[in-house]
Amino acid sequence: MNKSVKKQLITSFLFSMIVYAILYYAMATKMINNYWTGILITAIINVILASSLNLASGFLGQLTLGHAGFMSIGAYVCSLCTLYLGTPFILNLILGSIVAGCVGFLIGIPTLRLKGDYLCIITLAFNEIIRVVLLNIDITNGARGLLVPKETSFTAVFFSALITIYVIYCIVKSRQGRAIVSIREDEIASELAGIPVSYFKTITFAISAFFAGLAGGLYAHYITIITPSVFDYNKSVEILVMVVIGGLGSIKGAIIAAIVMTVLPEYLRAFSEYRMLLYAIVLIVAMIAKEKNLVQTIKIKLNLDKYKSKLGIFKSKKEGVDE
Amino acid sequence: MDFIAQVINGLSTGGMYALVAIGYTMVYGIAKMINFAHGEIIMVGAYFAYFVSSRLGLPAPIAVVFSIVGCAVLGMTIEKVAYKPLRNSGSLAVLITAIGVSYLLQNVFLIIFGSASISFPRFLESGQFEFLSLKISYISLLSLILTFGCTALLMLFVNKTRIGKAMRAVSEDKGAAQLMGINVDNTISITFAIGSGLGAIAGIIYGLSYSLINPYLGTMLGIKAFIAAVLGGIGNIKGAMVGGLIIGIAEALTIAYVSSTFSDAVVFGILIFILLVKPAGLFGKNVRDKV
């Protein structure tokens, strides 16, 4: 790791600590009420999900639509451990993540031979199979779901997210990370350059699943009741949308998009039944209007004068993001 | 006898899947995208027929025609508004847009008609047809006849007509087709119109066989039909029909002999199996990577 990367890491760590302190203080003094605390926690869980999917879809370049499946495995394993083993929460979280990672590995081996739309559909299929299995085995209590104690605190979620982002950042910046990105750019060329493509694909996929499992465990112990229907196709789509809106392969973008896409629907709640309609329109407009990522848009917005000539091009893009 | 009855049962749902799968296959073949909103077109088709028949009180044939034409126009509009601007961008952007369109259609109908299931008008008396002590309902029969009829007509259309030829050319190589003077935009529009029209027929069959419709009916149906299209080899009309029938039979047999809750898992299992063993599908041709 060179000097600039280290410097960047330290500044971002300090920055996140300041954010943590401010938020913690605001919560302790009830400046942020319980409702918004809940949204904040969900947003940070979504940050974990989006960052982990970004590793598989953004950096490795594999479109997957089954992330909620891994999340559900983490959630269920973690909850079952809490209920039946009585082991401490942190251990359960890790166990859940490891199981999710292993499942990701197993699914990854055969699946990742496929590309593009086919991969998308097959991961979707695995997602649905996991859901149906959870629905039909006794220990998960089927459609009635599991009731688990509330263990997830703001601190736990925040530091899990921090660890997730740190690990993903380190992976991406490492030698292996460059191999992963090279697979995204050109699989055949990477293979010819001596990169073990299938090894990297499955490992990256498994790591991505591992963190999805972590998010699942946190989610289960925050929401306190989990049913298989929570982790369906729509949830996977939601996570994928965050990654795409944030810009594939952008760590910052995934974080910002996850927060925006969690908070935005809350504001749309005022329109209650038109909420999903607006969401859909935002999605379509954003996709058509933008080919670049959200971070870039914000950057351009901040330097209005400098980019005045460019603004014309990006006008429609801003509308898509702001709505 | 019971087994054969189940197979026939499966064939009739399979027919419905096949009609939807043909829409997927044509659109995928020509525009190289999964039209995730196709499932919602089926839902819209069912609602159009319901609206014209039950709310406006017009006779069944008008309702059916309105539904088919309405869906064809809707399909073309969606293509023009949402997919055309993205024709040259990555498959992910198109995928998300398609998902956005499917949410949009779902929620528009949710707002207009409410989330509760409503009963579909009975265009067809729910009689049975007896053949060698086998009971086949009229709806099953209709579904099968429509599937085979539409597939045959479509094959003729694609293989014999000028527009069909243009479609095949565009699906083979868009750029080259354009150079040969084919209007690519029009060809893609027509493909969407035909696919959506077939979707409307499938929607009406759905309404007739389940007699209840709701705004969510398209999602699962759409995914299963896509699986049928992949199973048969995407881009292949005959394959889509065979794939649809296989999926229908597999589902019916699972419901009859294993458990109704596992039917979805079996369908997805078939998809996984086929993609791993023969990724190009039953009738698909293998395309080699060019280095």
Side-chain angles (χ1 to χ4, degrees):
Chain A
M1 229 178 262
N2 61 30
K3 225 173 179 179
S4 69
V5 173
K6 244 178 215 166
K7 209 170 138 193
Q8 207 184 342
L9 266 182
I10 293 168
T11 37
S12 10
F13 181 74
L14 286 176
F15 175 70
S16 57
M17 280 301 110
I18 294 167
V19 171
Y20 173 72
I22 293 171
L23 287 176
Y24 194 86
Y25 176 75
M27 273 173 210
T29 54
K30 293 285 169 210
M31 248 153 63
I32 298 178
N33 61 23
N34 283 341
Y35 176 67
W36 281 101
T37 307
I39 291 162
L40 202 66
I41 289 178
T42 326
I44 301 173
I45 291 174
N46 283 338
V47 167
I48 304 178
L49 286 167
S51 309
S52 59
L53 182 63
N54 196 17
L55 185 65
S57 289
F59 291 103
L60 186 65
Q62 308 292 325
L63 306 182
T64 62
L65 208 49
H67 216 52
F70 302 125
M71 188 187 171
S72 71
I73 289 173
Y76 269 96
V77 172
C78 185
S79 312
L80 289 172
C81 286
T82 309
L83 291 177
Y84 294 105
L85 297 180
T87 38
F89 179 49
I90 293 186
L91 193 69
N92 297 338
L93 267 183
I94 296 170
L95 263 172
S97 315
I98 290 174
V99 174
C102 291
V103 173
F105 184 77
L106 288 178
I107 292 178
I109 296 171
T111 314
L112 290 170
R113 292 191 307 178
L114 300 167
K115 276 191 212 96
D117 295 333
Y118 285 98
L119 182 69
C120 224
I121 286 292
I122 202 170
T123 45
L124 171 68
F126 273 113
N127 190 165
E128 287 297 315
I129 287 181
I130 291 170
R131 194 176 64 80
V132 173
V133 169
L134 288 176
L135 208 59
N136 281 294
I137 49 180
D138 289 334
I139 197 165
T140 59
N141 222 356
R144 276 162 297 161
L146 283 177
L147 272 169
V148 284
K150 192 166 190 155
E151 304 244 24
T152 305
S153 61
F154 171 66
T155 313
V157 179
F158 194 89
F159 282 96
S160 304
L162 221 55
I163 293 167
T164 309
I165 295 162
Y166 176 72
V167 171
I168 288 171
Y169 183 83
C170 287
I171 292 173
V172 173
K173 287 289 167 195
S174 70
R175 188 185 149 83
Q176 284 76 13
R178 288 197 296 276
I180 291 170
V181 174
S182 85
I183 293 172
R184 175 187 71 187
E185 294 303 328
D186 192 330
E187 218 177 297
I188 297 168
S190 318
E191 184 100 59
L192 290 175
I195 294 168
V197 171
S198 30
Y199 167 80
F200 273 117
K201 270 188 177 178
T202 32
I203 291 291
T204 315
F205 198 61
I207 295 171
S208 168
F210 176 90
F211 286 114
L214 176 68
L218 289 167
Y219 182 78
H221 286 269
Y222 169 66
I223 221 88
T224 66
I225 176 158
I226 48 167
T227 54
S229 61
V230 176
F231 309 101
D232 62 353
Y233 153 80
N234 288 321
K235 184 76 191 171
S236 292
V237 170
E238 198 187 312
I239 307 167
L240 187 67
V241 165
M242 286 170 192
V243 176
V244 176
I245 296 269
L248 286 167
S250 158
I251 294 179
K252 261 187 250 167
I255 298 169
I256 294 172
I259 295 170
V260 171
M261 298 301 280
T262 322
V263 176
L264 185 93
E266 294 305 320
Y267 281 108
L268 291 180
R269 230 172 250 286
F271 305 94
S272 63
E273 58 175 356
Y274 295 97
R275 192 167 75 103
M276 279 306 288
L277 195 67
L278 283 171
Y279 181 76
I281 293 170
V282 169
L283 215 62
I284 299 168
V285 171
M287 277 300 132
I288 293 174
K290 99 186 181 93
E291 279 291 34
K292 300 235 166 119
N293 59 45
L294 184 71
V295 181
Q296 213 137 2
T297 323
I298 290 168
K299 271 184 198 157
I300 287 156
K301 262 164 97 183
L302 293 176
N303 299 318
L304 285 181
D305 293 316
K306 223 169 155 186
Y307 289 92
K308 215 156 204 174
S309 55
K310 276 193 184 175
L311 205 65
I313 315 165
F314 288 109
K315 222 166 197 170
S316 48
K317 182 196 291 181
K318 269 169 50 193
E319 279 164 18
V321 175
D322 285 349
E323 264 176 73
Chain B
M1 265 310 133
D2 184 46
F3 179 78
I4 297 173
Q6 291 302 342
V7 170
I8 290 172
N9 205 356
L11 278 174
S12 80
T13 9
M16 187 173 67
Y17 290 151
L19 287 176
V20 185
I22 291 170
Y24 270 112
T25 253
M26 290 180 72
V27 166
Y28 194 95
I30 209 155
K32 297 284 176 287
M33 62 166 287
I34 306 177
N35 182 10
F36 259 99
H38 195 60
E40 269 57 42
I41 300 254
I42 301 150
M43 180 270 292
V44 172
Y47 269 94
F48 275 171
Y50 156 80
F51 182 77
V52 173
S53 171
S54 291
R55 296 266 175 105
L56 300 182
L58 294 169
I62 296 179
V64 172
V65 170
F66 180 82
S67 166
I68 295 171
V69 174
C71 280
V73 172
L74 180 70
M76 280 162 76
T77 317
I78 290 171
E79 196 272 330
K80 281 269 180 294
V81 175
Y83 302 149
K84 203 180 161 200
L86 292 166
R87 204 171 283 166
N88 294 318
S89 48
S91 66
L92 195 59
V94 186
L95 182 80
I96 301 277
T97 312
I99 290 171
V101 172
S102 87
Y103 280 167
L104 183 76
L105 290 177
Q106 210 172 67
N107 285 286
V108 166
F109 280 79
L110 205 64
I111 290 167
I112 301 175
F113 293 100
S115 64
S117 293
I118 45 183
S119 60
F120 193 78
R122 281 170 185 260
F123 291 156
L124 209 71
E125 38 191 314
S126 55
Q128 270 176 341
F129 166 84
E130 283 215 19
F131 176 74
L132 298 175
S133 82
L134 269 178
K135 286 188 182 115
I136 306 167
S137 70
Y138 287 146
I139 295 162
S140 301
L141 207 65
L142 178 77
S143 158
L144 274 175
I145 291 170
L146 279 176
T147 311
F148 282 105
C150 288
T151 318
L153 275 178
L154 208 60
M155 299 269 277
L156 273 177
F157 179 78
V158 170
N159 289 322
K160 300 286 176 205
T161 63
R162 230 181 122 76
I163 303 168
K165 215 181 228 175
M167 279 177 181
R168 281 184 291 146
V170 173
S171 80
E172 201 69 41
D173 189 331
K174 213 180 282 172
Q178 203 153 22
L179 289 175
M180 297 312 287
I182 292 170
N183 189 332
V184 173
D185 285 341
N186 277 351
T187 314
I188 293 180
S189 283
I190 292 167
T191 312
F192 267 86
I194 294 175
S196 307
L198 290 175
I201 299 176
I204 293 167
I205 294 176
Y206 182 97
L208 288 175
S209 40
Y210 295 93
S211 74
L212 284 175
I213 53 173
N214 64 53
Y216 302 109
L217 69 88
T219 314
M220 224 2 153
L221 186 67
I223 292 174
K224 279 185 194 159
F226 180 76
I227 291 172
V230 173
L231 181 65
I234 200 137
N236 187 319
I237 294 170
K238 200 169 61 187
M241 192 192 78
V242 174
L245 296 179
I246 291 175
I247 295 283
I249 292 171
E251 207 182 49
L253 292 182
T254 321
I255 291 173
Y257 298 108
V258 189
S259 134
S260 62
T261 44
F262 269 112
S263 70
D264 288 359
V266 168
V267 172
F268 288 118
I270 292 176
L271 169 76
I272 290 166
F273 180 75
I274 212 75
L275 280 181
L276 296 178
V277 178
K278 205 171 182 310
L282 295 176
F283 294 87
K285 31 180 196 242
N286 273 313
V287 183
R288 282 187 155 262
D289 273 339
K290 282 185 195 140
V291 180

